[in-house]
């Protein structure tokens, strides 16, 4: 039994631990994460097509950064939002964002043009530029343009009757400079050609035409080469591709709407045309045209990125799926299957089950829901759904359960960013089948991952629970590292039951026996446990904290960690992405070490471990140590009660990742990251590779 958790007093306003110099900026830290992703694309030990995939991930991450994070900073500037713990003003931050992003873009295109494109070509996967097309290839591409592309294009000349059109977020466009007069005698100047999203951005040429099995061209290259065919009788003086990235954060005032689903549907209609944040344009585009575009999009001069190549570089990810070359990809692995998964209730009744994805298969979670849907002894199923696959088997199982007469409740988070439309669609499908759909709590995203099955066993009801650090998405369960616990522990089952009551009704504040819950007890519970480690250290006992998460920026948690470090607590943090805590500051954080792991799988599991003088607390959770997760979302932190499972998590997730010297980066006191290398005499160790070898067939 753990000792009582001490209370934590609020720090004074003059607390030196509030010094802005002790904190990094979250947005800049998030940008730096993409340099670590890009480093995977530059690593020659990584299979070539996987390097291409990492390049594309860094590009799509940058898109999302501008759509969400940079847009949030612009909003803070417009509405004088208080600055974060680092004290940086929004205006200064926006300038630094654009400077750092420009460095990232330059590195991405250099990686593509100088490393990956030549290496792919040498391996028989060619992306052919316009300057390399031979006569036969050009004839085929011209015919393809006329037959497949031009019929769906609608070029628009700019004149008083045709003002600048709305440009969809992240769409491919060509601005064309024209000379001469059209059929109506109008003098040509500028025209815009928009590429519909129905057109493939990467075109594969037939072997008989190109001479190679895997030869591709960018749609943007084809458009630029043959754009003159859309303007007969006029001279094309120049054609320049461009792309605008817009704010994509949907804002719905939930207190002012009667129906959140309808309000979100209305917002989604206009999402692609919100405020512009970034302009990418061909490097050779004349300054007057660039200035015209900047004025139209109401962007400052430093928001333009001149591109030496295709502006939609992330679209080359299509090549990864089209090229059947196992020798250029990671070896296929087979996740471990749970024994006796054909009888999940009997298996879980015998003891808790830990699933460590992707090394353990996601199948047991699907089986638990499927078997619950068909089992006549199951009375009710309740589940939170934040993100799930488009053709999710989970939705079908819940539908079948409702048809079989079970009481089924789904808490669907409509505001899951970029999944709003998909979530609205499957919420409609569930409701049509008779599932009770709840949209969570006003003002708080429901980010907790919970599944509850109520089953009659003899004269009693028994609760079976799945709690996870990741989403109910079979696809990401093969690409993300996550942890899931399936248990029949009565106290945990009752806690989950109370949380579902709270989410689906207007239940008062509840007291949970085992779980920590945001926005009520998780934040305070973390602070109290940090302070408990500090108390042990002040008393001369060992103080130790190890935590793994995706991001860290919550000021109170960071101040508590600094204070614990000053007291002698040894703290190791594995933070994949943004970390605003500054390690290694003498007298403040010299006992704190921060590392980031970037490898084959996206690190997504969250684990908190507090040493507690030999009687440790270990929690898995859906929450990062971010303000939003700890204070403005519904999250759960669930304890690992089985000693064998706790030992397994400590071995596989904590010790294993702290020993990684191949895919780890250490955060330095100046904010830079240093790649960890094996020291002399040390064996190379990759945490993810070790788990593949240990767990997977």
């Amino acid at each position: 039994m753990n000792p009582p958790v001490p209370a934590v007093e609020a720090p004074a306003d003059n607390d030196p631990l509030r010094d802005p110099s002790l904190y990094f900026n979250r947005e800049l830290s998030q940008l730096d994460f993409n340099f670590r992703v890009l480093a995977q694309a530059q690593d020659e030990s990584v299979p070539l097509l996987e390097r291409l995939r990492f390049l594309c991930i860094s590009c799509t991450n940058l898109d999302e950064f501008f759509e969400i994070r940079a847009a949030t900073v612009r909003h803070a500037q417009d509405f004088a939002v208080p600055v974060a713990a680092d004290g940086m003003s929004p205006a200064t931050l926006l300038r630094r964002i654009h400077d750092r992003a420009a460095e990232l873009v330059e590195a991405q295109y250099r990686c593509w043009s100088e490393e990956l494109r030549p290496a792919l070509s040498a391996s028989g996967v060619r992306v052919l530029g316009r300057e390399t097309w031979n006569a036969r290839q050009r004839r085929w591409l011209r015919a393809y343009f006329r037959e497949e592309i031009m019929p769906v294009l609608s070029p628009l000349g700019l004149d008083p009757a045709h003002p600048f059109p709305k440009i969809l977020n992240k769409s491919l466009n060509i601005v064309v400079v024209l000379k001469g007069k059209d059929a109506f005698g109008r003098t040509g100047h500028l025209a815009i050609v928009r590429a519909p999203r129905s057109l493939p951005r990467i075109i594969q040429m037939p072997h008989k035409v190109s001479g190679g099995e895997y030869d591709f061209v960018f749609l943007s290259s084809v458009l630029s080469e043959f754009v003159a065919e859309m303007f007969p009788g006029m001279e094309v003086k120049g054609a320049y591709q461009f792309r605008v990235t817009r704010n994509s954060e949907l804002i719905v005032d939930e207190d002012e709407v009667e129906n959140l689903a309808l309000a979100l549907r209305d917002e989604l209609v206009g999402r692609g045309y919100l405020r512009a944040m970034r302009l990418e344009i061909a490097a050779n585009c004349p300054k007057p045209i660039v200035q015209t575009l900047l004025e139209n999009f109401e962007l400052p001069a430093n928001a333009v990125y001149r591109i030496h190549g295709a502006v939609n570089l992330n679209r080359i990810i299509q090549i990864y799926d089209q090229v059947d070359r196992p020798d250029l990809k990671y070896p296929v692995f087979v996740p471990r299957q749970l024994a006796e998964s054909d009888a999940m209730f009997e298996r879980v009744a015998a003891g808790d089950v830990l699933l460590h994805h992707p090394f353990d298969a996601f199948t047991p979670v699907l089986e638990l829901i499927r078997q619950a849907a068909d089992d006549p002894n199951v009375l009710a199923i309740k589940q939170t759904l934040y993100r799930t696959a488009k053709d999710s088997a989970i939705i079908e199982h819940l539908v079948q359960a409702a048809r079989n007469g079970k009481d089924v409740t789904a808490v669907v988070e409509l505001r899951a960013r970029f999944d709003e439309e998909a979530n609205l669609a499957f919420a409609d499908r569930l409701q049509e089948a008779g599932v009770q759909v709840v949209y969570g709590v006003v003002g708080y995203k429901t980010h907790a991952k919970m599944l509850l099955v109520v089953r009659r066993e003899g004269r009693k009801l028994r609760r079976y629970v799945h709690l996870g650090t990741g989403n109910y998405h079979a696809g990401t369960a093969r690409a993300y590292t996550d942890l899931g616990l399936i248990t029949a522990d009565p106290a945990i089952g009752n806690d989950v039951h109370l949380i579902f009551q709270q989410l689906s009704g207007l239940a008062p504040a509840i007291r949970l026996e085992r779980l920590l819950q945001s926005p009520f007890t998780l934040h305070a519970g973390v602070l109290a446990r940090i302070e408990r480690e500090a108390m042990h250290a002040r008393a001369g006992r060992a103080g130790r904290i190890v935590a793994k998460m995706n991001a860290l920026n919550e000021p109170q948690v960071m101040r508590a960690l600094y204070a614990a470090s000053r007291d002698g607590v040894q703290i190791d943090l594995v933070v994949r992405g943004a970390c605003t805590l500054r390690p290694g500051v003498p007298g403040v954080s010299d006992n704190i070490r921060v590392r980031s792991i970037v490898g084959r799988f996206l690190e997504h599991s969250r684990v908190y471990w507090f040493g507690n003088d030999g009687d440790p607390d270990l929690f898995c959770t859906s929450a990062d140590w971010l303000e939003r997760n700890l204070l403005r979302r519904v999250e759960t932190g669930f304890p690992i009660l089985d000693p064998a499972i706790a030992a397994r998590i400590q071995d596989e997730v904590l010790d294993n990742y702290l020993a990684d010297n191949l895919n780890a980066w250490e955060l330095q006191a100046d904010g830079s990251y240093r790649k960890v290398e094996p020291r002399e005499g040390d064996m190379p160790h990759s945490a993810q590779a070790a788990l593949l070898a240990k767990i997977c067939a």
Side-chain angles (χ1 to χ4, degrees):
M1 179 67 68
N2 289 322
V5 177
V8 179
E9 294 183 4
D13 290 341
N14 61 355
D15 187 344
L17 296 183
R18 294 175 182 265
D19 184 342
S21 68
L22 294 177
Y23 303 93
F24 298 125
N25 178 267
R26 178 189 174 183
E27 277 67 40
L28 296 176
S29 181
Q30 187 65 39
L31 265 179
D32 278 350
F33 167 65
N34 290 300
F35 282 91
R36 302 196 292 279
V37 175
L38 183 62
Q40 293 292 108
Q42 299 164 325
D43 186 345
E44 294 184 1
S45 69
V46 175
L48 189 53
L49 283 173
E50 304 295 348
R51 294 172 64 188
L52 178 70
R53 185 174 63 88
F54 279 115
L55 171 65
C56 294
I57 290 171
S58 76
C59 293
T60 54
N61 283 354
L62 187 59
D63 283 351
E64 185 172 333
F65 177 86
F66 276 100
E67 290 177 280
I68 303 300
R69 300 311 316 163
T72 300
V73 178
R74 181 69 65 82
H75 177 83
Q77 182 182 39
D78 292 344
F79 292 94
V81 174
V83 297
D86 61 274
M88 192 178 301
S89 71
T92 299
L93 178 54
L94 281 172
R95 289 194 297 272
R96 293 190 60 182
I97 283 173
H98 286 300
D99 290 345
R100 190 62 170 148
E103 294 176 27
L104 178 59
V105 170
E106 182 181 355
Q108 289 169 335
Y109 278 86
R110 187 167 59 248
C111 176
W112 167 243
S113 61
E114 298 179 9
E115 298 181 50
L116 296 187
R117 193 171 191 171
L120 285 166
S121 182
S123 298
V125 180
R126 299 189 298 172
V127 181
L128 303 174
R130 295 160 62 186
E131 70 283 356
T132 68
W133 299 346
N134 60 35
R136 188 176 189 184
Q137 293 166 349
R138 190 176 300 275
R139 283 195 302 271
W140 185 88
L141 288 168
R142 184 187 298 274
Y144 183 91
F145 174 80
R146 290 173 175 174
E147 296 168 9
E148 300 291 334
I149 298 176
M150 195 159 64
V152 298
L153 299 179
S154 298
L156 179 66
L158 303 183
D159 59 34
H162 302 88
F164 203 96
K166 287 186 175 182
I167 301 297
L168 184 65
N169 181 40
K170 297 186 295 186
S171 61
L172 172 63
N173 303 271
I174 307 288
V175 57
V176 186
V177 182
L178 299 169
K179 182 179 180 181
K181 294 184 178 181
D182 67 8
F184 295 94
R186 296 174 298 185
T187 301
H189 177 48
L190 291 181
I192 301 293
V193 178
R194 294 181 290 184
R197 292 197 165 178
S198 59
L199 294 175
R201 267 39 180 179
I202 295 288
I203 301 164
Q204 183 173 4
M205 286 193 288
H207 180 276
K208 64 181 180 181
V209 172
S210 68
E213 185 177 3
Y214 297 115
D215 286 344
F216 303 88
V217 295
F218 282 107
L219 172 66
S220 55
S221 297
V222 178
L223 286 173
S224 299
E225 180 68 18
F226 302 114
V227 69
E229 300 207 8
M230 289 182 285
F231 303 97
M234 305 185 76
E235 181 183 357
V236 173
K237 303 293 290 183
Y240 313 99
Q241 53 180 310
F242 73 91
R243 181 174 179 260
V244 64
T245 309
R246 297 183 179 275
N247 176 7
S248 293
E249 185 78 313
L250 298 181
I251 299 177
V252 177
D253 188 345
E254 297 175 46
D255 293 325
E256 298 296 324
V257 301
E258 295 183 4
N259 188 313
L260 178 60
L262 289 176
L264 270 174
R265 283 189 172 94
D266 290 340
E267 288 292 314
L268 283 167
V269 172
R271 171 184 249 173
Y273 301 100
L274 298 177
R275 186 176 191 171
M277 293 303 305
R278 170 182 64 159
L279 173 65
E280 299 166 273
I281 194 161
N284 62 341
C285 184
K287 288 184 179 179
I289 296 178
V290 173
Q291 187 59 36
T292 296
L293 293 175
L294 287 174
E295 290 173 0
N296 177 76
F297 297 129
E298 299 179 342
L299 286 171
N302 66 348
V304 65
Y305 296 80
R306 288 185 170 270
I307 302 301
H308 295 274
V311 298
N312 51 346
L313 187 58
N314 56 336
R315 296 297 191 140
I316 54 176
I317 191 61
Q318 296 171 23
I319 292 175
Y320 183 94
D321 294 323
Q322 294 183 50
V323 173
D324 184 18
R325 288 285 300 276
D327 58 310
L328 301 181
K329 298 180 180 181
Y330 284 125
V332 175
F333 72 97
V334 180
R336 178 171 61 186
Q337 297 293 329
L338 179 68
E340 304 169 351
S341 62
D342 57 339
M344 286 300 299
F345 296 114
E346 290 78 0
R347 174 64 183 84
V348 178
D352 291 355
V353 172
L354 177 73
L355 300 174
H356 190 178
H357 308 302
F359 317 103
D360 286 317
F362 190 67
T363 312
V365 180
L366 300 177
E367 276 297 297
L368 180 62
I369 304 172
R370 185 191 68 78
Q371 292 172 31
D374 294 336
D375 188 334
N377 293 317
V378 168
L379 306 180
I381 303 173
K382 303 176 189 292
Q383 186 171 11
T384 58
L385 293 170
Y386 190 77
R387 301 187 198 278
T388 190
K390 188 175 182 180
D391 54 351
S392 173
I394 289 176
I395 303 302
E396 299 308 312
H397 295 332
L398 294 178
V399 166
Q400 188 59 46
R403 289 174 176 166
N404 288 344
K406 319 295 183 189
D407 184 80
V408 183
T409 300
V411 180
V412 178
E413 181 47 70
L414 293 182
R415 296 153 298 181
R417 188 178 293 139
F418 299 119
D419 278 302
E420 298 94 344
E421 192 169 1
N423 288 6
L424 282 165
F426 75 66
D428 288 344
R429 169 129 171 73
L430 290 170
Q431 286 178 318
E432 289 169 1
V435 174
Q436 178 175 278
V437 174
V438 179
Y439 295 138
V441 181
V442 171
Y444 297 87
K445 283 188 180 181
T446 301
H447 193 249
K449 282 65 179 173
M450 305 183 297
L451 168 67
L452 172 66
V453 177
V454 181
R455 187 172 188 257
R456 181 173 295 283
E457 297 181 356
R459 295 184 176 182
K460 295 183 179 180
L461 297 182
R462 190 168 194 177
R463 297 186 179 102
Y464 293 83
V465 169
H466 172 268
L467 294 161
T469 68
N471 298 302
Y472 288 107
H473 193 302
T476 56
R478 286 188 63 88
Y480 294 10
T481 69
D482 271 307
L483 295 167
L485 177 72
I486 308 178
T487 180
D489 179 85
I492 289 178
N494 189 59
D495 282 355
V496 172
H497 163 73
L498 291 174
I499 295 174
F500 272 113
Q501 278 194 323
Q502 185 186 67
L503 291 173
S504 62
L506 297 173
I510 54 178
R511 184 177 180 85
L512 303 178
E513 183 177 348
R514 295 290 192 188
L515 269 59
L516 298 176
Q517 181 198 7
S518 290
F520 304 112
T521 58
L522 184 53
H523 184 234
V526 168
L527 292 175
R529 284 164 174 80
I530 295 172
E531 170 59 19
R532 186 175 60 189
E533 294 306 309
M535 289 174 58
H536 287 309
R538 290 194 296 268
R541 299 184 292 271
R544 185 81 170 102
I545 298 171
V546 185
K548 182 175 182 293
M549 65 201 72
N550 301 330
L552 166 61
N553 85 329
E554 206 289 305
Q556 285 183 263
V557 169
M558 290 188 288
R559 288 196 295 269
L561 291 170
Y562 286 151
S565 171
R566 290 193 306 191
D567 288 332
V569 178
Q570 296 299 311
I571 302 169
D572 281 287
L573 305 175
V574 182
V575 185
R576 182 195 76 209
C579 178
T580 62
L581 178 146
R582 186 187 293 270
V585 178
V588 177
S589 58
D590 34 10
N591 288 319
I592 304 177
R593 295 156 295 276
V594 180
R595 58 171 38 204
S596 170
I597 305 290
V598 183
R600 174 175 181 174
F601 307 112
L602 181 75
E603 288 300 329
H604 196 254
S605 53
R606 293 103 162 182
V607 178
Y608 314 157
W609 185 91
F610 304 94
N612 194 28
D613 193 31
D615 185 17
D617 274 352
L618 193 157
F619 284 84
C620 297
T621 174
S622 58
D624 297 313
W625 284 351
L626 291 172
E627 290 180 80
R628 70 184 188 194
N629 297 86
L630 296 175
L631 302 172
R632 298 192 299 275
R633 286 186 172 184
V634 178
E635 306 271 14
T636 55
F638 48 98
I640 303 301
L641 304 176
D642 184 313
I645 291 179
R648 182 183 161 197
I649 292 175
Q650 185 170 350
D651 173 57
E652 293 181 6
V653 182
L654 301 180
D655 296 345
N656 182 35
Y657 279 87
L658 292 178
D660 194 309
N661 56 19
L662 292 179
N663 294 313
W665 298 75
E666 286 187 347
L667 177 59
Q668 307 298 298
D670 64 359
S672 64
Y673 280 83
R674 180 184 65 84
K675 184 74 183 291
V676 176
E677 304 286 350
R679 290 178 293 190
E680 186 175 352
D682 287 351
M683 291 291 292
H685 179 75
S686 163
Q688 294 183 1
L691 290 170
L692 283 170
K694 175 182 177 181
I695 298 176
C696 299

